[in-house]
Every structure is written in structure tokens, then in C-alpha cells.
Amino acid sequence: MSTEAGIDVQRQLESLIQDFRASDPPMPVIVLHAEDPADDDRVTELVDELRKGQQQHGTRLAVASTEPQPGNSSPTARAAQLVRDLGDSRKWGDRSAAYRPYSFPRLSLVRALQEATDDPEMREHWPTAPAGTPEGNTQRERARTELLRILARQHWRPRRPPRRQILLTDVQQFLPMGALGAFTALLTRPEWYIAVLAGIGLMVLLAVLNHVPGRAPLFLWLRRESRWFLTTTFLQSAARHRSTSVRLLRPVHSWKAIAARAYDVAEAMREGGPFPLQLYVLALLEDLRNNHRRGTWDLRGFKRTRPPVLFLRRTGRENGGIELIKAVSDVRSRRSELDPLLIVAGAAANDAPLLDRGADGSPQASPSPSRYQPSRLQQRLRTWYDEWAGNLRADQSPSRTNALPWVLRIPLPREELVQLRETDWRCVRARHRPPLVRVVWSAYSLALALVLACTAGGVHSYELHRTYCSAGLLTANRDTERHSAPGNGTECVGIATGDVRFGAYLRDTDDEEADKQGERLRELENRIHDENARVLRNHPGTYVTVVYAGPLSSSKLNPSPVKGVEELTGVHLAQRVVNENHTVKMRVLLANGGADMGHQSEAAEEIAEYAERDPTFVGVVGFGRDLQSSPDVTDRLHKAEVPIVSGTNSASYLPKEFSNWFSLAAPDEHQTEALGHVARQLRTPGRATYALVLARDLKGSQDRYTSEQAAYGGEMLKRERFRMLPTQEYRVVNGDPELRLHAERMCQGENVPSVIYFAGRVEDVGPLMTQLSTQPGCANKEISILTGDDLSKARFSGTGGSDGVAPQITLYHAALAELEDAAPSTAFYEDAARYLTWIEQDRLPYTTPDFASGQTALSHDAARALYWAASREDAPQSRAATWVNLRSVKLDRMATGTIDFTNAPLYGERHGHSILIKRVRRTPSGVSEAEVLCSRTAGDIKPLDVKECPIK
């Protein structure tokens, strides 16, 4: 600043601006003028220096054009033009100004209404008849219709609004709608890009509809300027008692209120006078107040710490400056609301009395020089401001006829306006440190937060897709999880709800049989899903839910899910039969325990959690493999009060330890007792007969079945008085059994065993036969191999399969399902032919490869038994009631005979299981054929004896 007055005024402005950082002080209209008219130009130069200083300090400022305007416009009209020009955000600073540009939606709305009122097409439509008459009412309605048409053509905006402002307004308007559309799409759990496209598509659609020519914008009644237009008390006089309510869910009612208010205000603006100018000023002040409001989503009031400043270089009556200042003072006095606009104006000494604050209409005399002599202008400015702020309450009274209470006139003496030496020029420093909220809540921090959120969301989404089988962008079906499969790869484990299909996770192999089973699994899943949908749709409230838990995935070491497919076939058949013939329907859900049930603990946990939220769930069918985790699995479901009916798990200890365990499979102990009748006939009387147990090495394995078989088999051979050789355990590496060394030990030893109890799996029998048929000492010796029910899954060459036995070797194995004796009295095969369309009809049904192992029949009977307990008296039972009812189940004519749990003791063995002993020998033609030595259908509690099982 080059003058003492400039330094002091600038210091006072900075003091006022600093107060604005922490509070909302009243902002005056500061009018600077010289005491001597000869110094008017110096005052103008001082205003220019103040403008440059505020611009360097980062203040948002605008300079109103006070140059003489051509034409014969009135001072009021020129003042209105000054305010209209201030509606352009580019007038208020460039990109160097702090934070984003100002927006003036209210001022734009008033400008649009003024332009529509002055449109030449409106001239002939204004009413000429008196209001209240029929003709006047008709003319007013026509005029309102035409006004609304013109406004719609302008889209309720000025004819030439800033394009950047329009775009920003539209984005702010439709962005929440796009976010809502994306969120709604996410609720359906699609892929993430579908949700993004849904949000963007909704925004684009709304933007296109919003710019349809000749119609009002979308959501006009919800815009902030529309709400202000209807609710400001300044326009109540023009409202003519019209409704001013704006409601989110009543667009038609709100539109009628806006249309009525627009026409009433247009009529008032057409009449002229001070009303249009004051309405412009009111809209400008409201927009600026909103641009500095602290309680907003972007906290703009905390970021814009310096108030906007409007500079008027030379105010006068002819350029509208005087009328503008008066209008600002009048509007502020009427509204009695603080706004942030600070006006600094320069006036000629002769025009200053027009802005006097005298109470009686006469100019206020300047203070006597002696009053200010002891102090500089700086102290006088502060004193004047304090006095002015304190007098606002009284000076706003209507009785102050000539009062301009919001004007602070500052006379500048000549000695204060003398230009100083350049070395004495001063510039008051301003605080340039940005507020904390601008750093924390800014576009950059928002971008960083979005990047972090997107990164976290991406990582979270990746984790969801890596952990769960069915996942969306932010959500997942947590009933199924991905786990590592034996060998390599992953498998889907858990209970299939929603759109999860285990068949979709089967790997493609070069094994034709495995691929066939995969196709069969996918078909079964689709059939069960369709049947479940029909039950839920047509029979709500009259169904029970049964979960089948089995091995429904494959691995590199075990590429075929044949056991799970066969068991699931039986469960699905039971479902179809039940739903066609019974009132209470059966809904079936699938639970995958992984390849060879390696993840059955995880599946049991998911089932237990599902039981807590589905009251229709009554029990589980399956868990057909005896593993190390079987006690924990059964205990977990026991605590969840879930009964288990297993078709093929032959564990002897489970019914003794858990009351919720029911099984149709003959226990391992009973199987070895039955095989003992065969072993007794294999021992040569009076001569030492050697035997040994060959078992899988269970180190690092979950298998418990083979250890149970080995223990019971060894006890049986000792009980039958065989000379026992040391037990040998073979390892399985990468799915292949290492049997060569064990075959050499057995066949080249001093005592070659004639009976071997094989405690292994069906897939290990082929390699064993190969070794025994080629080892000296065994190749030409009659050897009998005894084993458990796992061999019932083998398909020997005599039945069209690829499994076989070596010459001189006879294989005896137990099986769990006597199908031949039960076939004449059961409808199982007729039902299978009706509902299982892939069954081959040209063979005996019970010898069909799909039924030969008995697993389909056993799982069918298990599902029927569980359903009977869950639907007693033709009413859906609770899970606890089903558990109790299972001990009263007795079903005749099932696929394996009679299923009878009525005599099953608590924590004890049950009798009456289906069981048979098979012998497999090679014929002279080189074909391995199986024959039944002896058997019992389910329900027959009479034990087998030696006479019934002759080997000769």
C-alpha cells in the first residue's frame, strides 16, 4: 500500500477477515471517500490497491463494472445488471483461488425467470383484464402456461449459463442416483463390473432425460434453488397464498407449487420497481451464504476461511452503484441473516452524503478533527466498526427512514492519502496456511481415500473369491469355501445354498468314466434344484429339508466322484418318490466333504451353522466314510442337535459313542465275524496255516476305516487259530500303493501265508494282484484274500468292469447291500426306471452298474428313513422330534429289505443290517466272476453261520 490510509484500511480488512475464520461477524458495506473532492482519484487508486492486495492473499473477489453504461436505463436497472453479471463464477477468482469455484443456482433461477418474463413471446400473453374476473382468470392461466413453456425451453436456466456449472450441477444431482443404482445391483451379488455399469447407465439415462428439449429438468422440485424459491419469506407477498410445500414423494403437488410461484414472481418482476433488484441481491447473498455454509457434506465453510469481497471502484447514481449498496442494506435489514459478502466501495466526496446514516434524513456531520487527533486512522477504523456493529439493532428499525444500517462510511483526510516514499510502502501479511479440514477432507484426500478404499475393496474381493465358492464384489455366500484338493488344485466344500453347484468345480480329465460321473453329478444337481424350487413355490410350510453330505468333488489322485454320485442318486430318487406320494414334501440340499471326504469337518461346521437359521432342516444323510475326523464331525452335529443317518459308514464305535448316529451299514466288527466263517474253512486241520494282515500305512492319512478293518481282521484270524505273521503296512505315494517290497517279503519268506486279510481300499487291489501273480512263491500258490465292504465298489470283469483277480487267488469280501433277495418285494427299481432316465433297462436291475455297489440303494433307504421320522402323522417335525422319532422307524419293502431302528439301543450295537459275503475267482477263460456265498437282507437279525457260507 502506498498511503497511510491504504495501510490502515488493509489492516482493518485483514482483522475482519481473521475474525471470519472463527466466527460469523457482520460484514459491512465499507464506503471510502475523501474529505476533499480533489482527492477522489486517490480514493479510486486506494480501492485498486486494496483489490490487488486481497487478490495476492487468495481472497475470492469480484469487481463490479462501474463504468458508464450506454442507454437510458434507470439506476435501479443498471444495479440489477451489475448483480446479474456476478452470477458467473469466473467473476469470483481464477484457479488460484482456494477451493473450487462458487456456484450460483438461486441467482441463475432468478435470471432465467427474468429472461422468460422479458421474452418477446410473452408480451402478447400478459393478462389485460382485471384479476378476479372470469376473463382475467382465463388470461392469467394462458400467461402462466406460456411462461412455463418458455422456462421449459430454457430448461429453467439462463439462456447462456456457464457449461461447467451445468455439468457440475447435473453430476451432483445424478451421482446419488447412480450410486443407489449400483448399490441396488450389488444386492443381487453380480460381478462387480455389472454393478458399476448399472450405476453409470442409470446416470447416463437420467442425464439424457434431463436434457430432453422443451421440458423441465428432472427432479426440479428437489433442487436446492427450487426449495429456496418456494420457502423464502421474501417472496411471500407475491405468492398470493399459494402452497409452498415441496415433498419428495409428491412431485405433482410440488410442481404445481413451483409453477404458481414462478408466475406470481414473474408478474411482480414485470411491474418493475425495487423488487427485481432486491430479489437479485437476495439470491446472490443466499448463494454466497450457502457457498460458505459449514454444515455441508464437503465442509466448504471450513475450507473457505476468507469471505468473498466485492469491489466497487467508483459508486455513483448514474452507474447503479448507489442503488446496489442501498439494495444490499435493505435486503440485509429485512432478512436479518448474516451473509459473508464484504463490499468495499469508493465514492466521490460529493456522492457520499447519499449514503449517510443520519436518523432524520439530514447528512451526518463528520466528527470533529480534535476527536481523532490523538490516534491514527487504524484506531479510528476499529472504533467505527465496533460502533457500527453495535448500532445495527437500532439502525434496522423501520422508523429510521433514511437509515442505511449496513453501510460503514469512512472519510479519508488528505494527509492520510499522501503517497509515501516507495521504501515506506507496506503490505499486511495474510495467513496462507490451509486449514486442517482442507487437508483432511479435500479432493486429494478423497482421491487417496477412494484409492485406498478401492484397493481394500479389491483385496477384500480377491480374498472373498479366493476363500468362497460364490462371491460378488463385496459379499459372498459363506456356506461354501474353497479348500486345497489332494494333489493340487482346489475344491468347493460346504453346503450348497443359493446358486452354488459342486459339479461346476469338477476338473476335466482324460478318464472317460470320471467325466461321465461329472456329467451325472451336474445333471443330478440341476434336477434337485428344480425339485426344490417346485417345493418352495407350491408347498411353503409343508416340507422338511434334508442335507446329503458326501464326496462331491474330484482330485488328481481320485478323479472320479463315483461314490458321491451313486449316493446322491439314491437321495434324489427318494426325494422324487416322497414328493409324488406324500403330503409333506422333501427338500434336499447338498453338502460336499471334499474328495474322499477329506474336508468333512469343514462341511459339518457349515451344516451346524446352517441348522441354526433353518427350522425346516431335520437331519443329514451321508458321511459315508470312516475317517479320523468322524468322531469330531459326529460330536459337532450332536451339539447342534442334528441326527445323522448314514448308508455306508460301517464304523463300529460311532453308534456306541453318539446317540445321534444311525447307520444302515453292517459294522466292521460284524463284517469280520461273517468273514470268519470263510476263514474257518480255509484253515487246514492238523496243519499250521499261516496268515497275515496287510494294511495301509495311515501315517499322514485321515483314513480310519482301514485301521478298524486291520484290528478286527487280525483278531478274527487269531480267533480262528491261524499262525499270524507280522502285520505289514504299505504306503501310498501320489495315489499309487507301494506293494512290491511287501509282496517280496510275503512270497519269498520262509512261511508263505495262504490267507491275507487286506485292510486297504478298492483302488489298491489291482496293484496287489499284479504283484502276487508275478512273485515267485505266490504265483503258483493258492492264496485267499479276505477284505471288507470297500471292495463292493469294484466292478469285476465278469460284470463289464475292468477290475479282476489274479490266477490262483480267491477274493472274499463283505458287502453292505443284499439286493437280489430284496428285489422281488420292493418298488425301488420301478421307481428308478420312472425317475432315473439313464438306467439301462435291458439288464437285471440289481446287477446294473449303477446299483451293483449298493450305495444308491443304501442312501435311498437312509433318506426314506430320515424322512419318515421327520414327517410322522403327515406333519413336518422339528429337528429334535425327528431325532426322537428315528428310534421308532420301521420301513418294509425298501431297496435293501426292512429298515428297523425300533430295537436300536442307546449307545449300543444294532442288529439286522443287510450283509453278504462274495467270492471272486478267475474262470478258465480269464474272466473274474463274483458270486454270493451267503447273505442277509436288512431286518433279518439271524446271524450267518458256516453252513450257510460254504466255500466248496
Side-chain angles (χ1 to χ4, degrees):
M1 304 302 296
S2 61
T3 61
E4 292 286 352
I7 295 173
D8 293 336
V9 171
Q10 188 187 43
R11 184 176 285 111
Q12 179 60 32
L13 289 180
E14 285 300 323
S15 176
L16 188 59
I17 289 171
Q18 293 305 317
D19 293 340
F20 181 79
R21 286 176 174 266
S23 61
D24 294 312
M27 292 297 175
V29 179
I30 299 177
V31 178
L32 304 175
H33 65 89
E35 293 181 350
D36 189 344
D39 298 324
D40 288 346
D41 291 338
R42 295 184 180 181
V43 173
T44 303
E45 294 174 359
L46 187 148
V47 173
D48 290 338
E49 289 182 354
L50 290 173
R51 176 186 60 80
K52 293 178 182 178
Q54 290 302 317
Q55 194 170 15
Q56 292 178 356
H57 290 171
T59 302
R60 288 184 182 271
L61 55 89
V63 180
S65 177
T66 55
E67 299 298 328
Q69 300 179 8
N72 298 321
S73 302
S74 64
T76 302
R78 291 174 178 172
Q81 183 61 42
L82 291 178
V83 182
R84 280 199 299 269
D85 293 340
L86 296 176
D88 188 351
S89 61
R90 292 171 294 183
K91 297 273 187 183
W92 294 87
D94 53 15
R95 294 181 179 271
S96 63
Y99 200 43
R100 55 191 176 92
Y102 281 151
S103 61
F104 297 93
R106 297 164 184 83
L107 188 55
S108 296
L109 178 61
V110 176
R111 287 179 58 192
L113 190 58
Q114 178 75 69
E115 292 176 359
T117 304
D118 298 338
D119 194 284
E121 297 180 11
M122 273 300 299
R123 293 175 184 173
E124 59 184 21
H125 292 87
W126 290 114
T128 56
T133 63
E135 185 179 359
N137 292 338
T138 302
Q139 291 180 355
R140 286 175 57 84
E141 188 62 31
R142 291 176 182 171
R144 189 176 74 165
T145 302
E146 181 65 17
L147 179 70
L148 294 178
R149 186 187 68 81
I150 296 174
L151 284 173
R153 185 178 63 191
Q154 298 177 196
H155 247 57
W156 289 70
R157 292 192 178 101
R159 290 194 181 95
R160 295 179 180 177
R163 295 187 179 275
R164 182 177 61 178
Q165 184 174 336
I166 292 178
L167 180 61
L168 182 61
T169 302
D170 289 343
V171 169
Q172 289 177 337
Q173 182 179 355
F174 299 134
L175 184 59
M177 298 297 177
L180 179 61
F183 177 74
T184 304
L186 275 178
L187 295 181
T188 63
R189 290 186 29 237
E191 297 295 336
W192 65 269
Y193 56 84
I194 296 180
V196 173
L197 290 177
I200 296 176
L202 181 58
M203 288 182 60
V204 171
L205 176 62
L206 292 176
V208 171
L209 294 177
N210 189 65
H211 289 86
V212 173
R215 65 174 308 280
L218 294 177
F219 311 119
L220 175 65
W221 77 97
L222 296 180
R223 287 183 172 183
R224 52 187 175 179
E225 60 267 29
S226 299
R227 294 196 300 269
W228 165 81
F229 190 60
L230 287 178
T231 57
T232 177
T233 58
F234 191 86
L235 298 179
Q236 284 296 332
S237 60
R240 305 182 191 275
H241 307 291
R242 300 279 186 176
S243 173
T244 59
S245 61
V246 180
R247 300 181 183 178
L248 174 64
L249 301 180
R250 298 187 64 183
V252 176
H253 178 83
S254 303
W255 165 251
K256 290 180 179 179
I258 293 175
R261 173 61 61 87
Y263 180 76
D264 291 334
V265 172
E267 277 194 330
M269 296 180 72
R270 178 170 173 263
E271 295 173 0
F275 174 73
L277 173 60
Q278 292 188 1
L279 182 57
Y280 275 122
V281 171
L282 173 65
L284 174 66
L285 297 181
E286 285 293 323
D287 282 330
L288 290 174
R289 194 157 68 92
N290 183 72
N291 282 311
H292 283 267
R293 183 175 286 116
R294 291 185 172 89
T296 56
W297 70 270
D298 57 351
L299 304 178
R300 63 180 75 107
F302 292 100
K303 299 174 183 178
R304 293 166 174 159
T305 57
R306 300 180 71 85
V309 181
L310 173 61
F311 286 95
L312 302 172
R313 298 182 69 247
R314 177 67 65 88
T315 58
R317 185 179 293 276
E318 68 283 353
N319 58 21
I322 297 296
E323 297 301 325
L324 173 58
I325 292 175
K326 288 181 178 180
V328 171
S329 184
D330 291 343
V331 170
R332 284 177 169 175
S333 297
R334 179 173 176 179
R335 294 288 292 158
S336 297
E337 292 180 349
L338 296 177
D339 60 80
L341 180 60
L342 175 61
I343 300 178
V344 179
N350 294 331
D351 291 335
L354 299 175
L355 302 171
D356 252 337
R357 301 176 65 249
D360 55 358
S362 60
Q364 180 180 359
S366 299
S368 58
S370 60
R371 179 180 177 182
Y372 300 103
Q373 195 66 28
S375 62
R376 289 188 52 188
L377 179 61
Q378 177 185 354
Q379 285 74 26
R380 299 201 302 271
L381 289 174
R382 190 65 196 182
T383 301
W384 287 344
Y385 175 79
D386 292 340
E387 291 178 356
W388 168 82
N391 292 331
L392 275 180
R393 289 172 293 180
D395 286 346
Q396 290 184 26
S397 302
S399 60
R400 304 288 292 241
T401 56
N402 273 352
L404 293 178
W406 288 88
V407 176
L408 177 58
R409 184 164 65 87
I410 300 176
L412 301 175
R414 171 170 289 186
E415 58 272 16
E416 297 284 350
L417 294 172
V418 175
Q419 188 170 10
L420 302 173
R421 290 180 303 175
E422 190 171 351
T423 55
D424 294 331
W425 291 9
R426 295 289 184 271
C427 181
V428 179
R429 292 184 176 275
R431 294 173 57 183
H432 289 286
R433 187 180 65 182
L436 179 62
V437 69
R438 250 187 86 196
V439 177
V440 175
W441 188 242
S442 65
Y444 300 104
S445 61
L446 179 61
L448 178 61
L450 287 176
V451 169
L452 293 177
C454 291
T455 303
V459 172
H460 179 64
S461 178
Y462 172 75
E463 287 296 324
L464 290 179
H465 283 80
R466 191 173 67 90
T467 304
Y468 300 102
C469 303
S470 176
L473 181 61
L474 297 176
T475 60
N477 182 340
R478 298 178 182 269
D479 292 331
T480 49
E481 298 182 359
R482 296 176 183 268
H483 290 275
S484 59
N488 57 10
T490 60
E491 54 188 351
C492 186
V493 174
I495 182 169
T497 57
D499 57 351
V500 175
R501 299 288 187 275
F502 294 122
Y505 292 86
L506 295 179
R507 65 183 66 208
D508 294 331
T509 66
D510 297 331
D511 189 335
E512 182 179 352
E513 177 65 21
D515 294 339
K516 177 181 176 182
Q517 295 298 328
E519 290 296 328
R520 183 72 50 79
L521 174 58
R522 285 186 277 270
E523 181 179 356
L524 284 169
E525 284 189 295
N526 291 333
R527 290 189 175 201
I528 291 173
H529 179 268
D530 294 342
E531 185 68 16
N532 289 343
R534 190 180 68 83
V535 169
L536 294 175
R537 182 176 59 253
N538 300 331
H539 306 280
T542 58
Y543 69 90
V544 293
T545 300
V546 173
V547 172
Y548 165 72
L552 297 176
S553 57
S554 59
S555 66
K556 183 178 180 181
L557 303 182
N558 186 12
S560 176
V562 58
K563 176 180 175 62
V565 171
E566 291 184 353
E567 289 182 343
L568 185 58
T569 301
V571 174
H572 173 57
L573 179 58
Q575 180 191 28
R576 292 299 303 274
V577 172
V578 163
N579 291 346
E580 289 290 335
N581 300 282
H582 295 272
T583 304
V584 179
K585 307 303 178 182
M586 180 193 293
R587 173 172 169 252
V588 176
L589 295 180
L590 278 59
N592 182 25
D596 292 331
M597 297 298 286
H599 294 287
Q600 66 172 0
S601 296
E602 291 85 349
E605 186 64 35
E606 297 294 346
I607 293 173
E609 292 178 0
Y610 179 80
E612 297 178 357
R613 62 179 192 269
D614 186 356
T616 69
F617 173 42
V618 293
V620 175
V621 173
F623 287 109
R625 289 203 62 177
D626 184 18
L627 303 177
Q628 299 294 341
S629 58
S630 294
D632 294 334
V633 166
T634 310
D635 182 59
R636 178 66 182 94
L637 295 180
H638 184 276
K639 292 177 180 177
E641 301 179 353
V642 176
I644 305 172
V645 182
S646 178
T648 59
N649 193 327
S650 59
S652 301
Y653 62 93
L654 288 176
K656 299 177 183 179
E657 297 180 9
F658 302 99
S659 60
N660 66 323
W661 180 264
F662 301 83
S663 179
L664 274 60
D668 297 328
E669 193 172 3
H670 292 189
Q671 294 180 33
T672 55
E673 287 178 1
L675 288 171
H677 301 315
V678 174
R680 192 173 308 158
Q681 301 176 64
L682 294 174
R683 183 173 55 82
T684 303
R687 218 172 52 178
T689 306
Y690 292 91
L692 65 77
V693 175
L694 178 62
R696 262 195 181 195
D697 185 357
L698 298 182
K699 186 179 298 183
S701 170
Q702 296 188 44
D703 189 17
R704 184 165 178 168
Y705 165 82
T706 54
S707 63
E708 295 283 322
Q709 286 282 330
Y712 291 125
E715 292 176 2
M716 179 269 293
L717 293 175
K718 290 178 182 178
R719 192 166 53 248
E720 298 298 334
R721 293 180 293 179
F722 281 87
R723 294 283 184 92
M724 297 301 297
L725 299 174
T727 299
Q728 297 193 34
E729 296 182 350
Y730 65 91
R731 296 190 309 159
V732 177
V733 180
N734 295 326
D736 298 323
E738 295 183 343
L739 290 167
R740 179 175 179 176
L741 180 61
H742 298 284
E744 291 177 354
R745 291 175 181 173
M746 288 186 295
C747 299
Q748 299 178 15
E750 182 179 351
N751 299 308
V752 178
S754 60
V755 174
I756 300 174
Y757 194 93
F758 179 67
R761 290 291 181 179
V762 61
E763 57 267 24
D764 302 339
V765 172
L768 176 63
M769 295 294 176
T770 300
Q771 295 295 332
L772 294 180
S773 64
T774 58
Q775 285 291 335
C778 292
N780 298 317
K781 181 179 177 62
E782 295 282 344
I783 297 178
S784 298
I785 298 178
L786 308 179
T787 186
D789 64 270
D790 198 59
L791 263 292
S792 60
K793 294 184 291 185
R795 295 184 179 181
F796 296 104
S797 55
T799 57
S802 57
D803 298 321
V805 295
Q808 307 297 320
I809 294 180
T810 304
L811 177 66
Y812 300 90
H813 72 87
L816 301 177
E818 170 50 86
L819 302 180
E820 183 176 3
D821 291 347
S825 60
T826 183
F828 172 78
Y829 301 101
E830 288 80 358
D831 294 334
R834 180 180 179 185
Y835 298 113
L836 306 180
T837 57
W838 60 83
I839 298 295
E840 298 180 18
Q841 299 296 317
D842 57 344
R843 296 185 179 181
L844 292 176
Y846 56 85
T847 60
T848 300
D850 296 279
F851 296 150
S853 68
Q855 296 187 94
T856 299
L858 288 167
S859 61
H860 166 271
D861 292 357
R864 293 289 296 273
L866 180 60
Y867 169 79
W868 190 95
S871 60
R872 187 174 183 178
E873 298 179 356
D874 268 347
Q877 304 289 304
S878 66
R879 193 160 50 251
T882 300
W883 187 345
V884 174
N885 295 341
L886 274 169
R887 299 199 175 274
S888 62
V889 169
K890 186 173 183 180
L891 297 175
D892 291 327
R893 301 182 183 276
M894 292 290 101
T896 59
T898 299
I899 308 304
D900 187 0
F901 292 151
T902 56
N903 295 321
L906 276 174
Y907 305 107
E909 290 184 348
R910 180 176 74 88
H911 294 277
H913 301 91
S914 172
I915 190 173
L916 64 159
I917 303 298
K918 285 187 174 183
R919 177 171 60 187
V920 184
R921 290 184 294 184
R922 175 173 286 200
T923 65
S925 60
V927 177
S928 296
E929 289 186 349
E931 59 180 323
V932 177
L933 290 182
C934 51
S935 64
R936 288 281 187 271
T937 58
D940 189 348
I941 61 174
K942 181 182 177 181
L944 293 170
D945 57 29
V946 176
K947 295 180 180 180
E948 291 181 277
C949 305
I951 63 174
K952 295 182 180 180

